[in-house]
Amino acid sequence: MNRMKKLYCFLPLLFPLFTFAQEQYSVKTDVKQLKDGSNVYLVYPDGDAQITDSTTVVAGRFEFKGTIKHAVIARMFLHKNPYVTKMAKGEVMDYLMFYLEPKQIAMVGIDSIKKVKITGSPENEAYADLKLMLKENNQKSADLRSEYNKLPKEKQKDSLVLAGFIEREEKLTKEGNKVHLAFSKKHAGLYVSLNSLAQVAAQPEMSAEARGVYEKLPQSLKESPVGKGIPLSIAAHASTQIGIAAPEFEQNNPDGKPLKLSSFKGKYVLIDFWASWCKPCREENPNLVAAYQKMKDKGFEILGVSLDFPGNKQNWLDAIKDDQLTWPQVSDLRGWDNEVAKAYGIRGIPASFLIDPNGKIIAKDLRGKDLFVKLNEIFKSK
């Protein structure tokens, strides 16, 4: 739904967690109908770096070996690495997103990487269970989007029609969060369950129950980066309420120079959380550009906070240029682990906070014409 204001890129349930000693992993794959000589690429994060490995299919088989410190999200691509060679318009790749963990992982399929069955990996087995638990909710969400997209353009622009779709989408989101909470209890002790708990903790209406689950976690999970972030998410609800001072922060701009939120005191500032890979963010950018051009000389500023990932600085810079984002930008290039995003309880993007000249939060998540309405209200009174 291109015009549904509540569309977001949500925090995926697969991302790096622990920082322990390096351990061995192996991924043995047998996809019988793959063509001999086909190239396969494995891409995964390691701290601030992005690791790429490649191998060749022989008799339908290929294998990857290496060491990792902890479970991480990995992507496996057939024929080419899209991080190096851009996909053509309309191109569909055969690829798999999965947990790479220090285990002996086996994958078996017939004719496609994305359809393999994974064994020997507790994380992927649990994640498969989560997808099954979420299947009905995900299908309802897909049906809702399809229903909206089939509407005539004039109906999509109707505020009453749009409000109805947004209300239904919010209901589905809440139902999905209940599934995540149940999953976090069912698979307590696994990384993927901790990720579900982190998502629930970011919801104000569920944070109290999430706190109860968190308190029963093993200490090792509590001390992991994601585990440490859960109390921060719960606390963020209190520290980012409308009417209180926005949490101060400092991150580097694209030139590597530190920039503080407080340096914009005296202006109305929209803190915009986004990323180059987030389609809803990119679709919203023209609206931000229009608002900035109209209001920047009246005392309005935008401060972009990018949740781009390690090793993807060029993607961030290209998006800034391509979308003509002429306002200040900062990032620590740590993806969802961005320190500012954690302090503000961000679990889905785009997200935004409008700050008054005294640094107080006066509105949240203004998108589309709602941003213009609020800015016109502010500057008309002046």
Side-chain angles (χ1 to χ4, degrees):
M1 299 174 204
N2 292 335
R3 297 187 57 82
M4 284 183 66
K5 298 187 185 71
K6 295 298 181 180
L7 278 183
Y8 298 94
C9 292
F10 286 107
L11 171 63
L13 296 173
L14 301 169
F15 51 84
L17 293 177
F18 293 90
T19 307
F20 296 144
Q22 294 275 6
E23 295 186 48
Q24 294 284 334
Y25 73 81
S26 69
V27 181
K28 293 184 177 181
T29 307
D30 186 353
V31 184
K32 300 186 182 305
Q33 295 180 19
L34 290 187
K35 185 178 179 181
D36 275 10
S38 297
N39 294 322
V40 184
Y41 300 88
L42 178 68
V43 182
Y44 61 92
D46 182 13
D48 293 335
Q50 180 169 276
I51 306 301
T52 299
D53 197 358
S54 63
T55 190
T56 303
V57 177
V58 178
R61 296 185 177 91
F62 59 90
E63 181 178 3
F64 289 101
K65 290 183 178 181
T67 59
I68 51 176
K69 298 176 183 177
H70 45 67
V72 296
I73 181 173
R75 291 173 173 83
M76 190 181 291
F77 302 98
L78 182 64
H79 298 314
K80 75 177 183 181
N81 179 2
Y83 292 103
V84 176
T85 306
K86 290 187 177 181
M87 295 175 61
K89 186 175 181 180
E91 180 180 2
V92 178
M93 289 196 68
D94 185 5
Y95 81 98
L96 174 71
M97 184 172 73
F98 68 103
Y99 262 115
L100 181 64
E101 58 177 316
K103 301 281 185 180
Q104 293 184 358
I105 302 172
M107 299 181 178
V108 177
I110 298 175
D111 60 359
S112 171
I113 288 176
K114 66 182 178 182
K115 296 179 181 179
V116 297
K117 180 179 179 181
I118 303 174
T119 58
S121 171
E123 294 297 330
N124 286 295
E125 291 170 9
Y127 186 60
D129 186 36
L130 176 61
K131 288 188 286 187
L132 184 62
M133 293 171 69
L134 284 170
K135 184 177 180 179
E136 182 179 355
N137 184 265
N138 288 340
Q139 186 59 56
K140 287 181 179 179
S141 296
D143 291 343
L144 182 64
R145 291 166 186 263
S146 177
E147 180 184 343
Y148 179 85
N149 289 330
K150 290 177 181 178
L151 291 176
K153 294 297 182 183
E154 59 271 17
K155 281 289 186 180
Q156 291 184 3
K157 297 177 181 179
D158 187 297
S159 59
L160 291 178
V161 173
L162 184 60
F165 275 93
I166 291 173
E167 182 179 357
R168 291 164 64 188
E169 187 179 46
E170 289 178 335
K171 181 180 178 181
L172 288 173
T173 299
K174 290 180 180 180
E175 291 174 356
N177 286 332
K178 291 180 181 178
V179 174
H180 283 296
L181 181 62
F183 177 80
S184 69
K185 295 177 180 178
K186 181 178 180 180
H187 293 280
L190 289 177
Y191 307 160
V192 66
S193 69
L194 188 65
N195 293 339
S196 279
L197 183 60
Q199 177 165 323
V200 172
Q203 313 308 317
E205 69 278 7
M206 302 183 75
S207 60
E209 193 168 2
R211 183 186 292 109
V213 177
Y214 173 81
E215 290 173 350
K216 297 178 182 179
L217 289 177
Q219 192 61 30
S220 59
L221 288 183
K222 289 182 179 179
E223 293 176 354
S224 71
V226 174
K228 290 179 180 179
I230 290 175
L232 293 178
S233 293
I234 295 172
H237 302 317
S239 62
T240 57
Q241 295 297 311
I242 292 176
I244 67 174
E248 170 70 308
F249 63 83
E250 176 182 282
Q251 280 194 348
N252 288 347
N253 67 12
D255 295 326
K257 297 180 180 179
L259 189 60
K260 288 185 176 181
L261 173 62
S262 57
S263 65
F264 299 98
K265 192 172 184 179
K267 292 185 176 183
Y268 286 90
V269 181
L270 185 75
I271 306 173
D272 174 45
F273 292 91
W274 73 293
S276 67
W277 46 262
C278 170
K279 185 177 179 180
C281 302
R282 303 294 295 273
E283 291 177 344
E284 179 65 15
N285 279 342
N287 181 63
L288 295 182
V289 170
Y292 190 63
Q293 290 175 345
K294 183 177 180 181
M295 302 293 186
K296 65 179 180 179
D297 294 331
K298 297 181 179 181
F300 175 61
E301 187 59 87
I302 301 177
L303 177 57
V305 181
S306 168
L307 273 63
D308 275 280
F309 290 96
N312 289 341
K313 181 176 181 178
Q314 192 57 50
N315 292 350
W316 176 38
L317 299 180
D318 289 344
I320 292 172
K321 180 180 178 180
D322 293 344
D323 293 1
Q324 301 179 39
L325 311 183
T326 57
W327 49 84
Q329 298 280 345
V330 298
S331 182
D332 58 10
L333 294 174
R334 295 172 61 184
W336 290 104
D337 202 33
N338 183 290
E339 289 297 329
V340 181
K342 290 194 292 186
Y344 277 74
I346 303 300
R347 308 298 289 186
I349 54 176
S352 63
F353 296 81
L354 183 61
I355 313 300
D356 73 7
N358 295 315
K360 289 185 177 180
I361 299 172
I362 59 174
K364 298 181 182 181
D365 296 327
L366 296 172
R367 297 173 66 180
K369 71 176 184 179
D370 290 344
L371 177 59
F372 280 91
V373 169
K374 185 63 176 180
L375 293 177
N376 285 329
E377 173 190 310
I378 290 171
F379 293 110
K380 184 178 179 180
S381 65
K382 295 183 176 298

